Amino acid sequence: MLLADERRELCEIGRRMVETGLVLGASGNISVRRGDLVAVSPAGMRLERMTPRDLPVIDLTGAVVEGTREPSSETPMHLAIYEATGAPAIVHTHSTYGAVVATTMTELPPIHYNTLLLGGVVRVAEYATYGTPELAANVRKAMAGGMRAALMANHGGVTIGTDLEDAFENARLLEWLCGVYVRARSIGEPRVLTDEQLRQVTERGLRLKPLPEA
């Protein structure tokens, strides 16, 4: 079985995404890239019910190399992110607070210095129908400049990482930051960190692990 270890890990992370509330029902999708092959969650299947053989393996054109199930409808977005970033793993969520911010804002303001762990101010990609090349292009644009995360207008969020575990933790961090912002707005106007304040945090040693070359 191609990418057997990666497919097993995808199943485990899929279960954890459900347990932590990052997805609901059959929403959301995940993938891992190894060289010219990508293992991706199947279309229309609940992530906690996946088995390794349920996950199709595709090439970088989107053609199925192994497996009987159809790849996720968001495969074009995954492939566009892989091409642009060189990341080895992607997590796409429909989490509650992420969806709230993505429905109301054009970016997630930097209200906490851990924003820097996602590359900086998280942008909201312009709306486009899910699974389309237009959405893939919009997300790619929102993640330009070394970003590890983006939100999608009226949709959800997407994160990358140095491996699948890292991409999952970035998704959890994105949801936490969105939750802090939404809750802060309920009691007042949140204070936003300045560029200078964020620079000072970087100078104290906050660094991102480098992604592989695209």
Side-chain angles (χ1 to χ4, degrees), residues 20-84:
T20 53
L22 293 177
V23 295
L24 180 67
S27 66
N29 35 77
I30 47 179
S31 69
V32 167
R33 176 181 176 180
R34 292 294 180 267
D36 294 334
L37 295 178
V38 174
V40 61
S41 53
M45 188 171 191
R46 295 172 66 107
L47 297 186
E48 78 273 22
R49 296 179 179 175
M50 296 187 306
T51 68
R53 291 195 178 278
D54 289 321
L55 280 77
V57 175
I58 61 175
D59 63 21
L60 297 182
T61 71
V64 176
V65 176
E66 183 175 278
T68 58
R69 289 186 175 272
E70 181 181 354
S72 167
S73 60
E74 295 290 11
T75 296
M77 179 183 70
H78 286 246
L79 295 178
I81 294 172
Y82 284 130
E83 181 181 17

Side-chain angles (χ1 to χ4, degrees), residues 91 94 103 120 123 132 149 151-152 159 186 203:
V91 169
H94 285 193
T103 302
R123 308 180 189 104
T132 61
L151 293 164
M152 293 170 277
T159 56
S186 71
E203 288 181 351

Side-chain angles (χ1 to χ4, degrees), residues 113-165:
Y113 59 81
N114 276 345
T115 297
L116 293 170
L117 293 174
L118 299 179
V121 176
V122 178
R123 308 180 189 104
V124 178
E126 292 184 12
Y127 179 80
T129 304
Y130 77 91
T132 61
E134 290 78 14
L135 179 60
N138 292 348
V139 172
R140 181 171 178 164
K141 180 179 178 182
M143 295 191 76
M147 291 300 301
R148 304 293 174 95
L151 293 164
M152 293 170 277
N154 303 86
H155 189 157
V158 62
T159 56
I160 61 175
T162 55
D163 53 31
L164 187 57
E165 178 75 24

Side-chain angles (χ1 to χ4, degrees), residues 182-202:
V182 171
R183 289 167 175 168
R185 285 293 299 267
S186 71
I187 60 174
E189 186 62 31
R191 289 186 295 273
V192 176
L193 297 175
T194 65
D195 289 343
E196 175 61 19
Q197 288 170 328
L198 292 172
R199 184 189 64 78
Q200 291 173 2
V201 172
T202 301

